[in-house]
Amino acid sequence: MHRVGLVVFPGFQAMSLAAVSAFEFANLTMERKIYEIRYVSETGGPVAGSFGMTMQTDTFARRGFHTLLIGGGVGIPDSTPDLLRCIRNAARRSRRVASICTGAFLLAEAGLLDGRRATTHWLLAPQLKQRYPQVNVEEDRIFIIDGPTWTSAGMSAGVDLALAMVEKDLGPEVARKVAQLLVVYHRRAGGQSQFSALLELEPKSDRIQHALSYAKSHLRSALTVEELAAAANLSPRQFSRTFRAETGQSPAKAVEHLRVEAARLMMEQTRHPVEVVAREVGFDDRERMRRAFVRMFGKPPQAMRREAPGPV
């Protein structure tokens, strides 16, 4: 059985607990107990969260955990010498150590991120970098795996991190089923930007949101206004008017942003030729993709590939 220890501390954020749902549903999918979850803290007993929630916890067990997972808080968590000692000792007995959101600050304070690549919530990443210059902080990543150390961005990224662990342990098919049970998209890749074109567009209605989700899943299609309008169950004229009113962009510009976002991810995570990337995300040719990259990032795709840290 794979033992997972989730470390909480005073002021922990309840959403960081969502990550363990991936392990719970992995057990349901496999129809047996693959993962055992223990909630642990410095002293054990009740620990108060950030929004009135109290979690009953155990002390750190001597037997250790296969996965030690540090939860996150609304702000930078306070550390104590005893908590850091417990984390260090447990980490030595664990197969992998991970953090959700600001939990990375505890890993860094414990010295477990020294010389490693790591991420955290984009808002606090500059502080992580300033406080711990020995950590190679990458501010714009959903999660990062560096050897046995895993770190993730904001709270929802903890679910992506946990799904990636399930995929590592049990295979992609199980991870896909778990994602379906959780009613989330199959996990976002670790190298994906914390900033999403879908989030930036902020559509107000389910119809426009559905059209954008359809577009993201069918980037190789022409994605004409007529096709997107059909996905939204609106007339082309009504769709174009509603889309611009809700997002402030034309459908064509939004689709270009989605394609550039997908192309950037492929450029960073694979070594496919530029022509292949352009075709896979729906650009007619590499020149059209190059112009779109320059408009969005101020540099061509080849330059962004050279600057990328490589697959995570």
Side-chain angles (χ1 to χ4, degrees):
M1 187 179 299
H2 189 111
R3 296 186 299 275
V4 179
L6 176 60
V7 181
V8 298
F9 44 81
F12 74 89
Q13 216 285 326
M15 193 173 176
S16 62
L17 304 180
V20 302
S21 296
F23 304 122
E24 177 186 6
F25 279 88
N27 288 347
L28 292 173
T29 299
M30 298 296 290
E31 298 183 341
R32 57 192 175 95
K33 196 169 184 179
I34 302 292
Y35 296 100
E36 177 186 75
I37 310 298
R38 288 286 182 269
Y39 303 97
V40 296
S41 64
E42 178 183 348
T43 59
V47 177
S50 63
F51 201 57
M53 177 181 180
T54 299
M55 170 68 67
Q56 188 65 33
T57 66
D58 298 323
T59 57
F60 283 78
R62 285 188 175 275
R63 63 176 179 167
F65 304 100
H66 295 95
T67 296
L68 183 69
L69 180 58
I70 316 296
V74 173
I76 298 173
D78 294 326
S79 63
T80 67
D82 283 345
L83 176 58
L84 296 176
R85 175 181 52 79
C86 288
I87 290 174
R88 290 189 195 101
N89 290 340
R92 282 196 290 268
R93 300 192 297 270
S94 300
R95 193 180 82 192
R96 61 191 173 204
V97 181
S99 65
I100 300 171
C101 196
T102 57
F105 282 83
L106 291 178
L107 288 186
E109 183 68 16
L112 298 175
L113 297 181
D114 288 0
R116 295 193 179 277
R117 298 168 53 232
T119 194
T120 189
H121 193 288
W122 61 268
L123 188 62
L124 295 172
Q127 293 186 51
L128 183 66
K129 182 182 295 186
Q130 182 178 19
R131 284 192 183 192
Y132 307 102
Q134 66 274 30
V135 180
N136 300 318
V137 179
E138 296 180 16
E139 302 182 17
D140 190 21
R141 290 287 179 263
I142 296 297
F143 64 86
I144 287 176
I145 306 169
D146 190 339
T149 306
W150 303 46
T151 53
S152 72
M155 296 298 175
S156 65
V159 176
D160 298 289
L161 183 81
L163 282 170
M165 289 179 174
V166 170
E167 182 172 319
K168 177 78 170 177
D169 298 337
L170 304 174
E173 183 60 24
V174 174
R176 184 186 65 80
K177 290 179 179 178
V178 170
Q180 288 177 336
L181 289 172
L182 291 172
V183 197
V184 297
Y185 289 116
H186 186 39
R187 72 165 179 87
R188 294 174 290 180
Q192 186 170 335
S193 170
Q194 292 187 35
F195 301 95
S196 165
L198 288 180
L199 289 177
E200 291 176 358
L201 289 167
E202 294 184 332
K204 307 297 187 298
S205 67
D206 289 344
R207 288 187 174 188
I208 300 303
Q209 176 67 60
H210 181 72
L212 284 168
S213 298
Y214 173 88
K216 190 169 184 178
S217 300
H218 296 80
L219 290 177
R220 294 190 68 176
S221 176
L223 294 176
T224 62
V225 168
E226 289 74 18
E227 185 177 355
L228 295 174
N233 199 25
L234 294 169
S235 70
R237 183 176 179 181
Q238 185 180 13
F239 171 76
S240 295
R241 184 170 61 248
T242 304
F243 191 96
R244 187 178 286 277
E246 291 191 15
T247 68
Q249 293 186 16
S250 68
K253 180 58 67 176
V255 167
E256 180 179 276
H257 283 185
L258 291 174
R259 284 181 168 139
V260 168
E261 185 177 71
R264 176 189 176 187
L265 182 60
M266 284 190 69
M267 294 290 292
E268 291 180 349
Q269 292 195 325
T270 74
R271 291 303 168 194
H272 293 317
V274 175
E275 294 83 355
V276 173
V277 174
R279 183 172 66 250
E280 288 297 314
V281 301
F283 285 108
D284 290 341
D285 53 56
R286 61 179 293 168
E287 177 57 26
R288 181 166 294 186
M289 187 175 81
R290 188 195 68 81
R291 292 197 299 268
F293 263 71
V294 171
R295 281 193 295 270
M296 193 164 179
F297 301 118
K299 60 185 71 174
Q302 293 91 334
M304 299 197 70
R305 168 171 276 174
R306 287 193 296 270
E307 296 170 4
V312 296

Short mmCIF file of all heavy atoms in Angstrom, two decimals, residues 232-256:
data_model
loop_
_atom_site.label_atom_id
_atom_site.label_comp_id
_atom_site.label_asym_id
_atom_site.label_seq_id
_atom_site.Cartn_x
_atom_site.Cartn_y
_atom_site.Cartn_z
N ALA A 232 -21.97 26.43 -29.63
CA ALA A 232 -22.66 27.23 -28.61
C ALA A 232 -24.17 27.21 -28.78
O ALA A 232 -24.89 27.79 -27.96
CB ALA A 232 -22.16 28.67 -28.67
N ASN A 233 -24.64 26.55 -29.85
CA ASN A 233 -26.07 26.49 -30.14
C ASN A 233 -26.66 27.90 -30.33
O ASN A 233 -27.73 28.23 -29.83
CB ASN A 233 -26.82 25.75 -29.03
CG ASN A 233 -28.20 25.27 -29.50
OD1 ASN A 233 -28.44 25.07 -30.69
ND2 ASN A 233 -29.12 25.11 -28.56
N LEU A 234 -25.92 28.72 -31.08
CA LEU A 234 -26.35 30.07 -31.41
C LEU A 234 -26.19 30.29 -32.91
O LEU A 234 -25.44 29.56 -33.57
CB LEU A 234 -25.50 31.11 -30.67
CG LEU A 234 -25.61 31.17 -29.13
CD1 LEU A 234 -24.52 32.07 -28.57
CD2 LEU A 234 -26.99 31.68 -28.71
N SER A 235 -26.87 31.29 -33.43
CA SER A 235 -26.65 31.65 -34.83
C SER A 235 -25.29 32.32 -34.93
O SER A 235 -24.79 32.89 -33.94
CB SER A 235 -27.74 32.62 -35.31
OG SER A 235 -27.58 33.88 -34.68
N PRO A 236 -24.63 32.27 -36.10
CA PRO A 236 -23.31 32.90 -36.23
C PRO A 236 -23.32 34.37 -35.84
O PRO A 236 -22.38 34.84 -35.15
CB PRO A 236 -22.98 32.71 -37.71
CG PRO A 236 -23.70 31.46 -38.08
CD PRO A 236 -24.99 31.50 -37.31
N ARG A 237 -24.36 35.09 -36.24
CA ARG A 237 -24.40 36.52 -35.92
C ARG A 237 -24.55 36.75 -34.42
O ARG A 237 -23.85 37.58 -33.83
CB ARG A 237 -25.56 37.18 -36.67
CG ARG A 237 -25.66 38.68 -36.46
CD ARG A 237 -26.77 39.26 -37.30
NE ARG A 237 -26.90 40.69 -37.11
CZ ARG A 237 -27.81 41.46 -37.71
NH1 ARG A 237 -28.66 40.91 -38.58
NH2 ARG A 237 -27.86 42.76 -37.47
N GLN A 238 -25.46 35.98 -33.79
CA GLN A 238 -25.66 36.13 -32.35
C GLN A 238 -24.42 35.68 -31.59
O GLN A 238 -24.03 36.29 -30.59
CB GLN A 238 -26.87 35.32 -31.92
CG GLN A 238 -27.24 35.51 -30.45
CD GLN A 238 -28.45 34.68 -30.05
OE1 GLN A 238 -28.89 33.80 -30.79
NE2 GLN A 238 -29.01 34.98 -28.88
N PHE A 239 -23.77 34.62 -32.08
CA PHE A 239 -22.57 34.13 -31.41
C PHE A 239 -21.46 35.19 -31.43
O PHE A 239 -20.84 35.47 -30.41
CB PHE A 239 -22.08 32.85 -32.09
CG PHE A 239 -20.73 32.39 -31.60
CD1 PHE A 239 -20.60 31.77 -30.37
CD2 PHE A 239 -19.59 32.60 -32.36
CE1 PHE A 239 -19.35 31.35 -29.91
CE2 PHE A 239 -18.35 32.19 -31.91
CZ PHE A 239 -18.23 31.57 -30.68
N SER A 240 -21.21 35.77 -32.61
CA SER A 240 -20.13 36.77 -32.72
C SER A 240 -20.40 37.95 -31.80
O SER A 240 -19.48 38.46 -31.13
CB SER A 240 -20.00 37.25 -34.17
OG SER A 240 -19.58 36.20 -35.01
N ARG A 241 -21.65 38.41 -31.77
CA ARG A 241 -21.99 39.56 -30.92
C ARG A 241 -21.83 39.21 -29.43
O ARG A 241 -21.24 39.97 -28.67
CB ARG A 241 -23.42 39.99 -31.22
CG ARG A 241 -23.85 41.25 -30.46
CD ARG A 241 -25.18 41.78 -30.96
NE ARG A 241 -26.24 40.79 -30.77
CZ ARG A 241 -26.87 40.16 -31.78
NH1 ARG A 241 -26.51 40.43 -33.03
NH2 ARG A 241 -27.83 39.29 -31.54
N THR A 242 -22.33 38.04 -29.05
CA THR A 242 -22.25 37.63 -27.64
C THR A 242 -20.82 37.37 -27.23
O THR A 242 -20.39 37.74 -26.13
CB THR A 242 -23.10 36.37 -27.41
OG1 THR A 242 -24.45 36.63 -27.83
CG2 THR A 242 -23.10 35.97 -25.94
N PHE A 243 -20.05 36.75 -28.11
CA PHE A 243 -18.66 36.41 -27.81
C PHE A 243 -17.86 37.68 -27.52
O PHE A 243 -17.14 37.76 -26.53
CB PHE A 243 -18.05 35.64 -28.97
CG PHE A 243 -16.71 35.04 -28.65
CD1 PHE A 243 -16.61 33.71 -28.26
CD2 PHE A 243 -15.54 35.78 -28.73
CE1 PHE A 243 -15.39 33.13 -27.96
CE2 PHE A 243 -14.32 35.22 -28.43
CZ PHE A 243 -14.24 33.89 -28.04
N ARG A 244 -17.99 38.67 -28.38
CA ARG A 244 -17.23 39.91 -28.20
C ARG A 244 -17.68 40.63 -26.93
O ARG A 244 -16.85 41.19 -26.19
CB ARG A 244 -17.37 40.81 -29.41
CG ARG A 244 -16.48 42.05 -29.36
CD ARG A 244 -16.62 42.88 -30.61
NE ARG A 244 -15.96 42.28 -31.74
CZ ARG A 244 -14.67 42.39 -32.01
NH1 ARG A 244 -13.86 43.06 -31.18
NH2 ARG A 244 -14.14 41.83 -33.07
N ALA A 245 -18.99 40.61 -26.66
CA ALA A 245 -19.51 41.29 -25.48
C ALA A 245 -18.97 40.66 -24.19
O ALA A 245 -18.69 41.35 -23.21
CB ALA A 245 -21.03 41.26 -25.47
N GLU A 246 -18.81 39.33 -24.20
CA GLU A 246 -18.38 38.63 -22.98
C GLU A 246 -16.87 38.59 -22.81
O GLU A 246 -16.38 38.56 -21.67
CB GLU A 246 -18.94 37.20 -22.97
CG GLU A 246 -20.45 37.14 -22.81
CD GLU A 246 -20.93 35.72 -22.53
OE1 GLU A 246 -20.10 34.86 -22.18
OE2 GLU A 246 -22.15 35.49 -22.64
N THR A 247 -16.13 38.55 -23.91
CA THR A 247 -14.68 38.38 -23.80
C THR A 247 -13.87 39.61 -24.21
O THR A 247 -12.69 39.70 -23.89
CB THR A 247 -14.21 37.20 -24.66
OG1 THR A 247 -14.37 37.53 -26.05
CG2 THR A 247 -15.01 35.93 -24.35
N GLY A 248 -14.49 40.51 -24.93
CA GLY A 248 -13.77 41.68 -25.42
C GLY A 248 -12.90 41.38 -26.62
O GLY A 248 -12.11 42.23 -27.04
N GLN A 249 -13.04 40.19 -27.19
CA GLN A 249 -12.24 39.79 -28.35
C GLN A 249 -13.15 39.20 -29.41
O GLN A 249 -14.26 38.76 -29.13
CB GLN A 249 -11.20 38.74 -27.97
CG GLN A 249 -10.12 39.22 -27.04
CD GLN A 249 -9.05 38.16 -26.84
OE1 GLN A 249 -8.97 37.20 -27.61
NE2 GLN A 249 -8.22 38.32 -25.83
N SER A 250 -12.63 39.17 -30.63
CA SER A 250 -13.33 38.46 -31.69
C SER A 250 -13.06 36.96 -31.54
O SER A 250 -12.04 36.57 -30.96
CB SER A 250 -12.84 38.93 -33.06
OG SER A 250 -11.50 38.52 -33.26
N PRO A 251 -13.94 36.11 -32.06
CA PRO A 251 -13.67 34.67 -32.01
C PRO A 251 -12.33 34.30 -32.66
O PRO A 251 -11.60 33.45 -32.14
CB PRO A 251 -14.85 34.06 -32.77
CG PRO A 251 -15.97 35.05 -32.59
CD PRO A 251 -15.29 36.39 -32.60
N ALA A 252 -11.99 34.95 -33.77
CA ALA A 252 -10.73 34.64 -34.46
C ALA A 252 -9.52 34.93 -33.58
O ALA A 252 -8.56 34.15 -33.53
CB ALA A 252 -10.64 35.41 -35.77
N LYS A 253 -9.54 36.08 -32.90
CA LYS A 253 -8.41 36.43 -32.03
C LYS A 253 -8.31 35.47 -30.85
O LYS A 253 -7.20 35.05 -30.47
CB LYS A 253 -8.58 37.87 -31.53
CG LYS A 253 -7.46 38.35 -30.62
CD LYS A 253 -6.11 38.29 -31.28
CE LYS A 253 -6.01 39.30 -32.41
NZ LYS A 253 -4.67 39.32 -33.01
N ALA A 254 -9.45 35.08 -30.28
CA ALA A 254 -9.42 34.13 -29.17
C ALA A 254 -8.87 32.78 -29.61
O ALA A 254 -8.08 32.15 -28.89
CB ALA A 254 -10.83 33.97 -28.59
N VAL A 255 -9.27 32.30 -30.77
CA VAL A 255 -8.77 31.03 -31.29
C VAL A 255 -7.26 31.11 -31.51
O VAL A 255 -6.52 30.17 -31.21
CB VAL A 255 -9.50 30.64 -32.58
CG1 VAL A 255 -8.79 29.49 -33.29
CG2 VAL A 255 -10.94 30.23 -32.27
N GLU A 256 -6.79 32.25 -32.03
CA GLU A 256 -5.35 32.41 -32.22
C GLU A 256 -4.61 32.30 -30.89
O GLU A 256 -3.56 31.66 -30.79
CB GLU A 256 -5.04 33.76 -32.87
CG GLU A 256 -3.55 33.99 -33.10
CD GLU A 256 -3.24 35.31 -33.76
OE1 GLU A 256 -3.32 35.38 -35.00
OE2 GLU A 256 -2.93 36.27 -33.01
#
